[in-house]
Amino acid sequence: MNRIPLWHIAGRCPAKAAAIAIAGAWLAVALSASAQAPARAPEGLPEALLSELRTPSALPAGRYEAVGEWEAEGKQAAHIIGRAVADAGASGGRAWQARPDEDRPGSYLLYGPYVELAPGDYVAFFRVKLLEEAGEERVADTDSVTNRATESLRRAPVRGSELAVGRWVSVPLPFHYPGGRLECRLLWTGYAGLRVDRVALYRLQGGHIDIEAGRAPQPRATGKPNGLALEGKATPAPPLFPRSSAPASTLVVADISRLTPDAQLCVVTLQGLVNRSKPRLYCLLSEFDSSWLNWIRRNKWAEAARTERDWRKLLTRFRPAYRGVVITDPALPATKNVATMIAGLDDALVVSPRLAAQLRLPVVADLRGRWRTSLAAYAWAFERLWPRLNHRLAACLWPDSPGLRDYLVQHRAVIFWLPGRIDGARPYERPEAEVRQVEELLARMPANSPIMGYPWAGKDVGIGELPGVALFSEFGHYLVGSVDCTNLSVHSGIAGVSLHQRRPPAPRLDARKVYVSYIMSDGDNLPVLTTVNFPQLWNDPNRGKFPIGWTLSPSASRLMPDVVSYYYSTATPQDAFVAAVSGVGYTYPDLYGQRYREPDRPRVYDGFLDLTAKYMRAADLRSAWVMNATRPEVICRYAERIPFLEALFPDYGQRVQTYAEATYPTARNVPVFHGVTGWREDASREEKIREMVEQVRAFTPKERPAFLHLFVWNWGADLGALREVLHRLGSDYAAVRPDHLAALYRQYLARREFLARFPGTLVALDAGRTVLTGVVQNVSAHPLTLRFSAMDGLNAPTITPASVTLAPSASASIEVAGAVTADRVDLEVRGARGAERVSVTARRVPAAELAGPVPGDAALRFVRVFEAEGLAHLDGSAEADADAGARRVWVARPGDDEPGYVAFGPYQPLPKGRYLVVFRVRRAGSGDGRAATLDVSTDGGGKVLASRDLAGADLPAAAFRSFPLIVDHPGGPIETRVQWHGTVPLAMDSVAVWELVPR
């Protein structure tokens, strides 16, 4: 799921508000929403409101019933920026205002009021006034959201041409509301001063607003080109990232944080040109830029700073650095990216038409009206500019993001963007064709080149994190998350920094303890290190009171060594650092290099691991946190290719189900610790503490010692709460640093001869023959022969093979087949020193419980059972249930929970094949009508492989029913989903998966 959630309510990542999404023009949205309605005036709206609409006939037809209104300066409204001002034309004589030079662009001028209404179609009217001319620039975004701001109902931009300077205008936003706590929000972009008076909300009766209006289909990769060859595309020779020279002794500092976005873009592109020869210009754009400047000066990397308060004077001071300007087209945002590429090649500044008119500088290129679509603009750039661009450095960059562009201009990077469902619906976008265009671009770049920026700019804006990173991975590229990064043209020039962690010795192993280690997520994202939210966590007084591992991108050692040095030099003995996902950059190792032919594909992956080893060593990182590395051979290759690797910490939250799956050694006996804890975004602080304690206890095995990796979601992290978790776990649990967890596990392995790992739970259909697969591993220093036998719980068992001989650290798969006859299956594994019994809990699904046929022509090879409470959720809660497999269920109840995907996941990679998936659910109370939709999907939920609708009548309240789905899976991560419709209380027990193997 998305790793950078955008919260725009008080206290939840307001600094990320600049990355908020925009949709197509509100007029186009309104027209599309009412395309099938007769063209007649809307009924029920007061004349005063109608007179302030630019195009009343564009509203959805029907009867409008007033629901309520709230004043922008009133108690129901909240704000991140702005202030109350007197305005005689405003309701009550007051309004809420934001202006350039006073407020930070890209922040919420208004949000709220968190009301709950009857589901239906609504139109919100934002009464706003423009304070100065803005032309075609986007001055604001309106949107409506629910489900704690995670579900966008409708988003639309407001352009200057749609408003009137000095006059109140009512801007409509039509949307379909399914229920929940509703927010209507107004984001101020910063192009011009803006006032908001109030929001009036009306319900639409007798009309219709299309839920999908203003949304494009999710764009998808084509899979072509593939079969790529490495010839002529050698991996980049060091250095991987281009760097600046050492900064000048005196830096010119410009505070551009409250400038209009076009002025910010102008200054940032100037910065890239000025700093190309020697870093001399430093910009204050984020709230932490001044702190990093102080750190630079404290360490004498630059000795002085001179502030320039008038940004226009910078253009005079640094006039020799540029030839003129490139003018963007406000009607086509892609021209900002094309202009940035031209600026880097032709030494120009990027300006809007209005800035060009004010500055009167020579015009290097005028992009207004040259292209009608983003596809055409990028096609021109990739054809005409490609020979002069840096083929080893690219960025997937939202056109409205000013950050990072100094570095991209400085080093002449390739820049592109992949639109998503919302921005892809604009009339100038062709999402599917743009994906094909980028596929061709990625194929042209040398393997193992970085992609900077980010493929996501808010929910459904941009192709999205998961599909974007997957696409880059397939072509052998990795993401260096850096959208909104500032001053890389300065930070990357810091030289002579010695990066060494503090490494206190590990404790001696206590065989009675359960050792746990926290890993803080998302340090791969450079803005997390510089702005949000590691600096805040780092200053928490609880830091240093208990051990914690902080993830950090190895690329940061090259792009911002001064920032890394700050963390290392201010760390306590309790702080340790781990390489972030999934090495030198964020990628999915399971997919890495898939577009390459054999035998080039493993060479591409090894090239990635070699770069990872190089930059881990440079940053003194010896362990790695990896994501979407699930196949044993993929994980093993890390240990084989990185000779100094001490441990691996896979997964973004809990993916595995048992301790045997969570903790084990791989090649060279390098420990692998999968995450055993997850998170819930809407949980209270007490719920977070309680749920983490429960998750840890659920994974704790009976045997001691034990070793657990506790994943911490950085966006919701609370160090005080983490400390309380350790207190509640009690003295049986010992918290240690991640490096110490690895050292203690190696001490434990030194006492063992072999490890046998089988699923903790086996699910079998009643009276059917089931195949159970396990793994045995030699953890000794000598070759070892192991022999296997079935003890109890199976009728007519067979074991294949009956024995194996393994080299040190080698492993082998074992298949046990038979009809399950008991609640436990016992096996024996015998080595040189004696035998060990392996027990697997068994569950049988009675034939009477199955709500559908299952294939009789195939053997069932058990894959996994996923407990519903262990999957991801948008709502619902866990409850005790004695009849559930794990004695707990996940429950969604009308009135308490919002409709939607109440259980989804686990994104388990499976080989191509045919599978049986069984959902075990029951009704949790009275209720009729549509209950839920069960489905199995892949491709991030975009491709549904099988589905089934459930009604209340299908679900007895007193007993579980098991609903089978047959799936032809193309291979890759699989997702199982329960979409609850909000009318029938539903209890979900588990989802079991078998591979159907021809007999």
Side-chain angles (χ1 to χ4, degrees):
M1 298 299 290
N2 196 302
R3 299 195 303 120
I4 309 185
L6 272 177
W7 293 100
H8 302 291
I9 59 177
R12 290 186 175 183
C13 299
K16 295 300 290 181
I20 185 64
I22 61 174
W26 71 263
L27 178 60
V29 170
L31 286 171
S32 65
S34 57
Q36 304 301 319
R40 67 178 189 272
E43 304 172 15
L45 292 175
E47 185 59 36
L49 190 154
L50 285 170
S51 67
E52 292 180 348
L53 294 171
R54 298 284 291 198
T55 315
S57 61
L59 285 174
R63 186 175 69 260
Y64 286 74
E65 297 178 352
V67 174
E69 62 181 41
W70 53 98
E71 300 293 328
E73 74 281 6
K75 293 182 179 180
Q76 286 184 293
H79 323 274
I80 290 176
I81 56 164
R83 63 208 50 82
V85 295
D87 188 311
S91 173
R94 292 177 68 78
W96 200 265
Q97 173 181 290
R99 300 205 78 145
D101 298 325
E102 297 178 8
D103 300 287
R104 284 185 179 272
S107 299
Y108 275 98
L109 189 58
L110 174 72
Y111 61 93
Y114 305 104
V115 295
E116 294 195 35
L117 307 168
D121 294 333
Y122 289 83
V123 180
F125 294 89
F126 296 79
R127 191 171 192 249
V128 296
K129 179 195 288 186
L130 193 64
L131 302 182
E132 52 255 358
E133 186 60 50
E136 288 299 316
E137 300 293 353
R138 193 180 103 255
V139 297
D141 293 336
T142 61
D143 76 353
S144 57
V145 297
T146 187
N147 198 19
R148 292 169 288 275
T150 62
E151 189 65 29
S152 175
L153 307 180
R154 181 65 52 83
R155 291 177 179 169
V158 182
R159 301 195 176 276
S161 59
E162 297 167 7
L163 303 178
V165 177
R167 195 175 76 205
W168 289 105
V169 175
S170 288
V171 177
L173 181 73
F175 58 92
H176 178 79
Y177 165 71
R181 299 180 70 202
L182 176 68
E183 288 182 74
C184 295
R185 310 186 296 183
L186 182 71
L187 178 84
W188 181 65
T189 63
Y191 274 102
L194 194 69
R195 288 180 184 171
V196 56
D197 177 21
R198 65 173 182 261
V199 180
L201 186 63
Y202 286 78
R203 182 168 186 178
L204 178 65
Q205 300 283 13
H208 174 66
I209 296 175
D210 184 359
I211 296 175
E212 292 299 306
R215 293 177 183 265
Q218 172 65 28
R220 307 198 181 285
T222 67
K224 298 178 181 179
N226 54 30
L228 302 177
L230 270 177
E231 286 79 2
K233 300 176 66 175
T235 56
L240 177 61
F241 294 97
R243 297 182 67 181
S244 298
S245 60
S249 59
T250 299
L251 292 173
V252 176
V253 179
D255 186 348
I256 64 172
S257 61
R258 286 170 172 78
L259 297 184
T260 58
D262 51 351
Q264 290 177 341
L265 182 56
C266 177
V267 176
V268 169
T269 52
L270 171 68
Q271 183 187 23
L273 298 174
V274 169
N275 292 352
R276 185 176 282 168
S277 57
K278 191 173 188 65
R280 291 174 287 162
L281 179 56
Y282 190 95
C283 293
L284 305 181
L285 186 57
S286 81
E287 58 183 312
F288 279 90
D289 283 327
S290 58
S291 298
W292 298 121
L293 176 61
N294 291 338
W295 182 250
I296 290 173
R297 294 184 62 189
R298 175 178 168 182
N299 287 276
K300 305 298 184 183
W301 294 313
E303 295 186 359
R306 293 181 181 173
T307 301
E308 179 55 76
R309 300 189 183 281
D310 185 350
W311 69 272
R312 288 176 176 82
K313 291 182 179 179
L314 297 171
L315 305 184
T316 302
R317 180 194 287 259
F318 296 114
R319 185 62 184 85
Y322 63 94
R323 294 173 48 226
V325 299
V326 184
I327 304 174
T328 61
D329 185 349
L332 190 62
T335 58
K336 294 177 183 176
N337 282 347
V338 175
T340 303
M341 289 186 273
I342 295 173
L345 295 173
D346 294 335
D347 299 342
L349 309 179
V350 178
V351 298
S352 65
R354 70 174 185 174
L355 273 189
Q358 295 171 17
L359 299 176
R360 299 182 180 278
L361 291 168
V363 177
V364 173
D366 189 341
L367 306 186
R368 287 175 290 182
R370 290 185 61 172
W371 307 287
R372 297 183 62 185
T373 66
S374 300
L375 183 72
Y378 287 122
W380 177 89
F382 298 153
E383 178 183 352
R384 298 288 294 275
L385 305 180
W386 176 259
R388 296 192 291 152
L389 291 168
N390 183 347
H391 300 174
R392 300 188 189 278
L393 181 66
C396 180
L397 193 63
W398 187 44
D400 286 328
S401 174
L404 184 62
R405 292 180 192 266
D406 63 316
Y407 186 80
L408 302 180
V409 167
Q410 181 186 27
H411 299 294
R412 303 176 178 90
V414 180
I415 308 174
F416 62 91
W417 178 245
L418 288 164
R421 296 204 63 204
I422 287 179
D423 53 334
R426 299 172 190 168
Y428 47 77
E429 298 291 8
R430 307 290 184 270
E432 294 290 346
E434 289 174 68
V435 171
R436 292 195 295 271
Q437 185 181 61
V438 171
E439 285 178 295
E440 294 289 345
L441 174 69
L442 296 173
R444 295 169 74 181
M445 293 177 61
N448 286 312
S449 298
I451 308 295
M452 300 188 76
Y454 219 79
W456 178 88
K459 183 174 175 57
D460 291 335
V461 179
I463 193 171
E465 178 186 332
L466 296 179
V469 176
L471 180 64
F472 305 154
S473 302
E474 290 176 5
F475 282 96
H477 303 305
Y478 47 88
L479 178 66
V480 178
S482 45
V483 69
D484 295 331
C485 252
T486 52
N487 296 300
L488 284 188
S489 61
V490 179
H491 291 304
S492 67
I494 305 297
V497 181
S498 180
L499 300 178
H500 295 289
Q501 293 194 52
R502 300 180 67 171
R503 295 188 183 276
R508 295 188 64 179
L509 179 66
D510 183 339
R512 300 166 298 177
K513 294 291 186 182
V514 179
Y515 291 100
V516 297
S517 186
Y518 285 124
I519 301 286
M520 184 71 69
S521 78
D522 283 68
D524 59 296
N525 214 319
L526 301 187
V528 168
L529 301 178
T530 58
T531 304
V532 182
N533 59 355
F534 274 24
Q536 295 89 337
L537 292 169
W538 202 253
N539 290 325
D540 190 304
N542 286 289
R543 185 177 66 85
K545 303 294 177 60
F546 60 94
I548 192 165
W550 302 85
T551 57
L552 184 143
S553 172
S555 296
S557 67
R558 188 163 186 87
L559 290 168
M560 46 177 61
D562 52 332
V563 173
V564 178
S565 77
Y566 165 76
Y567 286 108
Y568 282 15
S569 62
T570 57
T572 74
Q574 303 278 37
D575 299 310
F577 296 91
V578 174
V581 291
S582 290
V584 69
Y586 174 23
T587 193
Y588 300 150
D590 285 348
L591 304 177
Y592 205 78
Q594 279 196 357
R595 298 292 184 103
Y596 281 82
R597 69 187 185 186
E598 297 290 351
D600 287 344
R601 185 180 301 171
R603 291 172 55 201
V604 172
Y605 183 46
D606 282 352
F608 169 77
L609 294 176
D610 292 347
L611 289 170
T612 293
K614 175 178 179 177
Y615 291 99
M616 282 181 63
R617 192 186 296 276
D620 192 25
L621 299 167
R622 302 179 192 173
S623 298
W625 167 51
V626 298
M627 182 175 171
N628 286 7
T630 58
R631 301 200 307 271
E633 65 274 16
V634 170
I635 292 175
C636 177
R637 196 62 176 159
Y638 273 88
E640 293 172 340
R641 203 73 185 183
I642 304 175
F644 56 86
L645 188 70
E646 293 181 346
L648 285 169
F649 297 88
D651 304 337
Y652 198 83
Q654 179 197 332
R655 183 187 62 82
V656 299
Q657 299 278 309
T658 65
Y659 179 75
E661 296 172 296
T663 303
Y664 57 88
T666 186
R668 299 192 296 106
N669 281 350
V670 170
V672 178
F673 304 102
H674 289 266
V676 303
T677 53
W679 75 94
R680 187 160 56 89
E681 294 182 22
D682 63 317
S684 67
R685 187 174 190 272
E686 175 57 30
E687 288 172 332
K688 289 178 182 178
I689 295 170
R690 186 182 69 250
E691 290 171 8
M692 181 171 272
V693 170
E694 291 173 352
Q695 291 167 350
V696 173
R697 293 193 184 280
F699 267 91
T700 302
K702 294 179 181 179
E703 63 268 18
R704 299 290 188 274
F707 308 85
L708 297 173
H709 155 203
L710 311 189
F711 173 86
V712 180
W713 185 55
N714 73 306
W715 301 104
D718 176 341
L719 298 192
L722 296 181
R723 192 177 176 190
E724 177 63 19
V725 167
L726 298 177
H727 173 73
R728 295 191 191 182
L729 284 172
S731 59
D732 288 347
Y733 293 80
V736 294
R737 294 163 41 121
D739 52 342
H740 291 170
L741 187 73
L744 290 164
Y745 188 69
R746 285 193 296 271
Q747 293 180 39
Y748 161 73
L749 290 181
R751 305 178 181 183
R752 297 295 304 266
E753 185 181 30
F754 64 86
L755 294 178
R757 295 186 290 117
F758 283 79
T761 300
L762 166 67
V763 180
L765 301 186
D766 199 17
R769 189 172 176 84
T770 303
V771 180
L772 175 67
T773 302
V775 174
V776 292
Q777 183 169 358
N778 177 7
V779 297
S780 74
H782 308 285
L784 179 65
T785 297
L786 299 174
R787 294 175 174 80
F788 317 105
S789 58
M791 305 290 290
D792 297 298
L794 290 176
N795 182 33
T798 60
I799 300 181
T800 309
S803 66
V804 294
T805 299
L806 300 173
S809 81
S811 60
S813 293
I814 308 299
E815 283 195 351
V816 182
V820 176
T821 59
D823 293 337
R824 194 177 74 181
V825 172
D826 290 334
L827 312 170
E828 184 182 83
V829 183
R830 182 172 294 276
R833 301 179 195 168
E836 181 177 307
R837 182 181 288 250
V838 178
S839 294
V840 178
T841 300
R843 302 180 196 167
R844 287 172 288 178
V845 180
E849 186 179 295
L850 279 170
V854 298
D857 59 346
L860 297 179
R861 178 181 289 140
F862 180 68
V863 177
R864 288 275 294 279
V865 59
F866 304 102
E867 307 299 340
E869 63 273 18
L871 296 173
H873 316 281
L874 291 181
D875 216 329
S877 58
E879 295 183 9
D881 190 315
D883 294 327
R887 303 295 188 265
R888 290 175 70 78
V889 290
W890 193 262
V891 180
R893 299 184 185 279
D896 294 335
D897 304 304
E898 294 188 16
Y901 288 102
V902 290
F904 56 93
Y907 310 103
Q908 171 80 20
L910 295 177
K912 180 180 180 180
R914 196 165 181 237
Y915 293 87
L916 171 66
V917 180
V918 174
F919 295 77
R920 192 170 192 252
V921 299
R922 69 170 175 80
R923 190 155 43 86
S926 60
D928 294 315
R930 295 181 70 205
T933 299
L934 314 176
D935 75 37
V936 181
S937 65
T938 187
D939 196 16
K943 184 176 182 181
V944 176
L945 305 176
S947 67
R948 179 166 178 172
D949 289 324
L950 302 183
D954 298 323
L955 300 167
F960 284 99
R961 297 208 76 191
S962 291
F963 296 90
L965 296 178
I966 308 299
V967 174
D968 289 311
H969 181 44
I974 197 167
E975 182 179 6
T976 64
R977 304 188 295 188
V978 179
Q979 183 181 15
W980 180 59
H981 299 305
T983 57
V984 179
L986 191 69
M988 296 152 279
D989 178 16
S990 61
V991 182
V993 181
W994 296 263
E995 184 181 7
L996 298 172
V997 182
R999 295 185 187 277

